[in-house]
Amino acid sequence: GLGFNIVGGTDQQYISNDSSIYVSRIKKDGAAYLDGRLQEGDKILAVNGRDLKDLRHKDAVELFRNAGYDVSLKIQRRLQPQNGPVGHRGDGESGGLPVAAILVPGLVLAAAAVWILLRYRQRM
């Protein structure tokens, strides 16, 4: 095979009111993975010049199965990640300041204030 799975079609819409065909998974060490250009979430517009618009899922699958050895895909890259809000980096970070960047200076200031207060009270 070509090394990827698809979702979508007129009978199995992946996105509401959109019957396009999308790459749902790229199989490790498959042809698409080794080529490196196709990404999960890409919309496939055409296979070997054949438009995929308004096809049932099974008909799209059949086109891929009969595509031959040299396959040309016309795709539209997804504009944002599928999971999470725009700007989400997906590496466990929220993109804001880490909690330690706020707590550590706050604790240092609090400790300095306590030390100054204790020194001031000793002088009285």
Side-chain angles (χ1 to χ4, degrees):
L2 300 174
F4 63 92
N5 294 358
I6 60 170
V7 291
T10 56
D11 57 335
Q12 297 179 19
Q13 292 183 351
Y14 176 63
I15 296 175
S16 184
N17 298 320
D18 182 358
S19 60
S20 301
I21 303 296
Y22 291 87
V23 177
S24 63
R25 186 175 87 108
I26 296 180
K27 298 174 184 175
K28 184 118 174 138
D29 297 326
Y33 177 86
L34 295 172
D35 177 77
R37 291 180 282 180
L38 196 62
Q39 296 179 10
E40 291 178 359
D42 286 349
K43 181 191 288 191
I44 303 176
L45 304 174
V47 179
N48 293 336
R50 172 84 195 275
D51 191 4
L52 296 183
K53 190 173 184 171
D54 298 326
L55 284 181
R56 292 180 302 175
H57 181 81
K58 72 176 193 168
D59 296 329
V61 169
E62 199 60 32
L63 273 178
F64 285 105
R65 285 192 176 139
N66 296 321
Y69 183 76
D70 291 321
V71 179
S72 173
L73 299 178
K74 181 178 179 183
I75 62 136
Q76 179 180 347
R77 184 79 64 217
R78 69 175 180 264
L79 298 177
Q80 66 185 30
Q82 287 181 304
N83 298 320
V86 174
H88 178 74
R89 297 190 316 215
D91 59 3
E93 294 287 332
S94 67
L97 286 174
V99 174
I102 297 168
L103 288 180
V104 170
L107 290 173
V108 169
L109 287 173
V114 168
W115 182 79
I116 290 170
L117 181 63
L118 290 175
R119 295 276 298 174
Y120 178 74
R121 290 181 100 194
Q122 285 178 350
R123 289 187 179 176
M124 293 181 94

